[in-house]
Amino acid sequence: MIIMKFGGSSIKNTEAMRRVAGIVQKRQQQQPLIVLSALGGVTDQLIRMHNAALEQRDEQIATEISALQNRHRAMLNDLIPAGAIYDEVHYFLNHEFKRLKTLLDAVKAIKVFSSELYNSVIGLGEMLSTRLFEGYLRARGLSAVWLDVRPVMVVEQNGEEITPLLEEIEKQARVRFDHHLQNGMLIVTQGFLATTRDGAPATLGRDGSDYTASLLGAALKVKEIQIWSDVDGILSADPTIIKEAQPLPFMTFEEACELAYFGARVLHPATIQPALTHGIPVRVLNSHFPDEPGTLIVPDYEETEHQAIKSIAYKENITLLTIESSRLLLSPKAIEDIFDILTRHGKKVYAVTKSATKLSVTIQNNGNDNRFLDDLKRFGRLTVEPRKTVVSVVGEGMKANPLLTWQIIKMLHEAGIKIELISQFARQISMMFIIDEQDIPRTVELIHARLIAGGG
């Protein structure tokens, strides 16, 4: 058994959905469980609708709902001929559109943000796409069944933090999926969606369908988890900067985790962990070229296969905060309080350095609420430097070559690129540093040309 997850770009229109159905049909003997995102762009559209409802913008809501209905109904008409399956899917889509209108009316009525209503609205895209795809598989003569993932994907929610309850997920997956799997059915279910233990609607976060696939793969002990997108696996660099970036045939779990965490746009950052825990390989594939091997992510491979540096990733929209105070010299509690403030305000920290009287942290900008800066100022002199980028250079082979760090520093210095902060541990597979956003292209081009394309 395998998990096959397809992102929104892979099923964005009729042609794409036909292509994906063909991919699934060719792998039917591997008994795939199919996890789908919403059609490309639909989640953003649902977020706009929710925000319009909060702001009482009825005309925009009507326009957006009409566009959403027309898009899905046009695909239904193109994919499924008239008959029982068509009627069944048509009824389901109509029911979901009515539910969407009811939810948006509720948002308009209360006029304040409700996480339960928000999650219900933005999760509707996966319900629509999966039922449409499952109906199309049956119209092609395949034995398929649509299952709701929400009772399976049980999570605990603490503010914005979502923690999957792994034992409950495994239990529910077995209860709800095993019968269909034993009967050789193709199961079609949703990514992204989840439910709290008390039944409240939740999600796994943007791009969370990868995470769904990995969690279900771990729960069902599958042979392989496949992540299908519109790129040829994990690349050696951002292809918008490096046109000749190449797909990597193999990566270790640790390499993939580092790249996903620091901005590689192929995988959700949490995807690898459930697979890693159970030793399940993850393969990243391109739905436009399904016969290409993609990138296989495995626990480890022979040292002889290591290239010193595999890839370079970066995360933009970073702010560097530096607090200077003699209190940091004698009071460990001050550092604890600083991180407590950042946590309470939902600020994700990517790197930390400390000297006797200075503490520097990098955080991702995630809103316009800067009240936390006033809280930090009471610890000492605060310097705020926005428009920074976290860059991570990744490769298992870096463990055996500590001089690479100095080589990168020297290379960037000679190019006039200023490094604000560096973080690396002994025997680490990555080096992380901070630069100005304007230096991203030159930095990526330089490192890729000399240390990746050149063989490290």
Side-chain angles (χ1 to χ4, degrees):
M1 179 185 176
I2 62 174
I3 301 286
M4 300 179 75
K5 176 264 171 179
F6 294 91
S9 62
S10 294
I11 54 168
K12 62 184 179 181
N13 54 34
T14 301
E15 179 187 357
M17 198 166 275
R18 285 196 175 105
R19 182 167 55 243
V20 167
I23 293 170
V24 169
Q25 190 165 2
K26 283 184 66 174
R27 290 158 178 77
Q28 196 173 356
Q29 295 304 312
Q30 295 177 273
Q31 198 171 18
L33 187 156
I34 302 119
V35 175
L36 296 186
S37 300
L39 304 184
V42 165
T43 302
D44 288 333
Q45 189 176 6
L46 290 166
I47 292 172
R48 290 197 303 271
M49 288 187 208
H50 173 271
N51 294 340
L54 274 178
E55 298 169 9
Q56 312 293 303
R57 288 186 268 117
D58 291 344
E59 186 175 339
Q60 181 182 346
I61 293 171
T63 301
E64 296 274 15
I65 288 179
S66 178
L68 187 72
Q69 289 177 317
N70 291 339
R71 181 178 181 186
H72 285 84
R73 285 173 178 164
M75 289 183 67
L76 170 63
N77 292 334
D78 286 344
L79 291 169
I80 303 176
I85 296 174
Y86 178 96
D87 292 342
E88 183 183 325
V89 176
H90 187 266
Y91 177 84
F92 180 89
L93 296 183
N94 282 344
H95 178 270
E96 291 299 296
F97 293 137
K98 290 176 182 177
R99 186 166 72 90
L100 173 60
K101 292 176 183 177
T102 301
L103 290 168
L104 293 173
D105 284 342
V107 175
K108 287 168 57 181
I110 63 174
K111 300 180 183 179
V112 294
F113 181 86
S114 160
S115 62
E116 289 82 3
L117 284 173
Y118 177 75
N119 288 329
S120 295
V121 169
I122 69 169
L124 187 124
E126 279 73 14
M127 302 296 284
L128 298 171
S129 65
T130 51
R131 199 57 194 264
L132 187 59
F133 186 70
E134 180 261 356
Y136 177 52
L137 291 180
R138 286 192 289 132
R140 288 173 66 119
L142 301 176
S143 297
V145 61
W146 179 91
L147 293 179
D148 190 341
V149 82
R150 291 172 295 185
V152 175
M153 201 56 51
V154 185
V155 300
E156 188 175 89
Q157 187 163 7
N158 183 13
E160 293 185 2
E161 185 174 341
I162 296 291
T163 304
L165 302 178
L166 302 181
E167 290 185 6
E168 187 66 18
I169 290 171
E170 182 171 347
K171 173 185 172 183
Q172 292 298 328
R174 290 296 177 189
V175 168
R176 297 173 186 275
F177 291 163
D178 269 2
H179 171 72
H180 299 290
L181 293 171
Q182 289 167 9
N183 289 329
M185 302 290 285
L186 293 172
I187 294 175
V188 180
T189 195
Q190 307 79 36
F192 181 57
L193 306 185
T195 307
T196 64
R197 198 193 292 274
D198 60 5
T203 73
L204 297 177
R206 291 304 303 266
D207 302 316
S209 295
D210 293 352
Y211 200 11
T212 304
S214 189
L215 289 165
L216 289 178
L220 296 169
K221 311 295 189 296
V222 302
K223 182 179 180 181
E224 183 174 280
I225 298 165
Q226 297 181 355
I227 306 296
W228 292 80
S229 66
D230 55 358
V231 296
D232 295 331
I234 298 178
L235 303 180
S236 57
D238 180 353
T240 63
I241 296 177
I242 306 297
K243 303 300 181 186
E244 64 274 17
Q246 294 296 311
L248 303 168
F250 294 96
M251 296 198 81
T252 65
F253 281 126
E254 193 175 358
E255 287 173 333
C257 281
E258 289 286 330
L259 287 172
Y261 184 75
F262 285 107
R265 293 165 173 83
V266 176
L267 291 174
H268 184 284
T271 297
I272 302 301
Q273 189 56 50
L276 172 61
T277 302
H278 292 81
I280 300 170
V282 176
R283 194 181 295 274
V284 182
L285 296 152
N286 189 341
S287 61
H288 292 274
F289 302 100
D291 295 327
E292 293 298 317
T295 299
L296 182 64
I297 304 168
V298 294
D300 201 1
Y301 44 75
E302 293 299 322
E303 187 72 30
T304 55
E305 296 183 48
H306 290 170
Q307 181 178 332
I309 295 177
K310 283 289 192 62
S311 185
I312 177 170
Y314 60 89
K315 188 174 287 291
E316 301 165 275
N317 201 28
I318 297 292
T319 293
L320 175 62
L321 305 175
T322 301
I323 300 170
E324 187 172 1
S325 172
S326 58
R327 289 177 61 187
L328 299 174
L329 181 62
L330 300 173
S331 176
K333 181 66 166 58
I335 298 174
E336 180 182 333
D337 291 342
I338 289 168
F339 279 92
D340 181 60
I341 290 169
L342 294 172
T343 299
R344 282 192 285 108
H345 286 271
K347 302 302 179 182
K348 189 173 185 179
V349 176
Y350 284 94
V352 181
T353 59
K354 184 187 179 301
S355 64
T357 59
K358 286 185 180 180
L359 176 70
S360 293
V361 298
T362 56
I363 62 169
Q364 185 161 32
N365 300 328
N366 56 356
N368 297 320
D369 186 357
N370 291 321
R371 288 175 294 178
F372 74 100
L373 296 176
D374 293 329
D375 293 338
L376 294 178
K377 287 176 183 176
R378 64 186 174 88
F379 293 95
R381 188 163 67 89
L382 176 65
T383 304
V384 181
E385 300 175 75
R387 294 183 293 279
K388 302 295 181 184
T389 295
V390 178
V391 180
S392 183
V393 181
V394 177
E396 288 277 354
M398 291 187 73
K399 291 179 181 178
N401 193 351
L403 292 178
L404 272 174
T405 298
W406 302 111
Q407 189 176 346
I408 292 169
I409 294 170
K410 182 174 182 291
M411 183 192 314
L412 297 181
H413 173 74
E414 291 174 348
I417 298 170
K418 182 182 178 183
I419 297 178
E420 303 282 355
L421 182 152
I422 298 173
S423 177
Q424 186 180 30
F425 297 99
R427 301 290 296 166
Q428 186 91 343
I429 68 158
S430 66
M431 170 195 174
M432 186 278 298
F433 55 90
I434 310 297
I435 60 171
D436 287 334
E437 284 185 353
Q438 65 184 16
D439 291 325
I440 294 172
R442 283 198 304 150
T443 299
V444 173
E445 288 166 359
L446 200 57
I447 293 174
H448 191 273
R450 296 193 187 178
L451 299 177
I452 299 177

